Amino acid sequence: MRKLVLFVLILASAASVLQPALAYVLTGAKWPSPATSMYVSLGAPWDDAFITAMNRWNQSTPFQFAFAPQSWDPCSNPNNPPRHNGVKFSDTLCGDSFGNSTLAVTETWTMGGSTIVQAGILFNTKYTWDVYDGPWGTGTYAGKSDFRRVAVHELGHVMGLDHEDSVPAIMATAVSTGSVIVAPQPDDIAGINAMYGSGTPVPGSPTANTYHVFPQFADGRAGDGSYYRTTLMVSNPSSTAASNCTFQLYGLTVNGQGTYTFTFAGSGWTILPINSDQTLQSGYATLQCSAPVEAQLLYSFYSAAGTKVSEATVFSSPPAGMLQVLGDNRGGSQIAIAIANDSNAATPYTITAFDNAGNQVGSVTRTLS
Ligand SMILES: [Zn+2]
């Protein structure tokens, strides 16, 4: 099905109307998932303006537009794949007339009438285009159409919104001289949320935890001037749940500090380089959070001259009574194992090595206070 949704230019003020709470209008068709790419290569200043228009939706709704810097004809037939969402300036509507007062048109192709498979946007070259956020078509912009807010409107059609004239909306049928609506309004956003759900869906993260133990943490200079730095990296995989975290050092402090607290908003993250010029200290660290987070340490070793000699990612260790790690001694490689006793009771630990035939080749036991 080919469906045309028109954006009509009317140079008149809109009458004031009563405003119902929610009034958005949906076309009845939507994308199978809240994301698609727009193929845009129109040159300056249009590409940047189009990206900003996409971001005005991306930042306020769960739908995410991606920018593909490639020219694609919005009149291309989706029955002849590949299917892409093209954008162009044109003096015709894919060969037909634009009509008298049409600024731009979004063509949407659906499958079964309900699933959008392709959309294309055509901007009418009959109009003089510019990019601005001020009142529509007044002052220095008299006679000029703002490409960016029209792109925001057309992108609303791409997602499946229809026109809405009973409340302030970027999806208004017409834009009036002096209008200052340049971005999605609450009603527009409610319409997208109704179609695609509120809150950005993120993939699940089976490795996120509320408690992390890092068996090795080091900071400071050794006697020969070489030094260790450790960087804590944390991200919150939830887009909605905040997480309050406490990072605690054991067996060492950094500049006298042993406890660090953070609050991560949804999707929040931090990279905290912890380093000082203190005498080398080492110990272990824990991270306790109110909601699951991903966390790791970056463990860096520098020469006295400040050249980075080696670096390793230290993943948090699952608290466990027994762990198995794999080793490879080809080329003389060695394995270093750090064990932290994250309890108050002295506990013996045994490391047993087996060769690749399963034969025990060594064993050592230590008691950690
Ligand atoms: Zn429209």
Side-chain angles (χ1 to χ4, degrees), residues 5-7 153-154 157 163:
V5 184
L6 308 180
F7 189 39
H153 174 101
E154 299 304 328
H157 288 316
H163 289 147

Side-chain angles (χ1 to χ4, degrees), residues 291-369:
V293 296
E294 297 285 0
Q296 62 192 47
L297 298 181
L298 191 60
Y299 198 68
S300 309
F301 178 56
Y302 295 82
S303 72
T307 303
K308 188 181 289 181
V309 176
S310 65
E311 194 161 60
T313 297
V314 181
F315 295 100
S316 64
S317 170
M322 176 176 282
L323 284 172
Q324 184 168 331
V325 297
L326 303 179
D328 175 8
N329 66 352
R330 290 174 300 175
S333 297
Q334 295 185 319
I335 294 177
I337 296 176
I339 301 172
N341 176 2
D342 189 36
S343 77
N344 293 326
T347 307
Y349 294 87
T350 300
I351 297 173
T352 305
F354 299 87
D355 65 16
N356 57 4
N359 302 311
Q360 181 175 326
V361 294
S363 182
V364 61
T365 297
R366 293 281 186 275
T367 296
L368 298 183
S369 58

Side-chain angles (χ1 to χ4, degrees), residues 1 6 9 53 79 230 275 346:
M1 187 183 88
L6 308 180
L9 174 70
N79 294 309
T230 306
N275 63 82

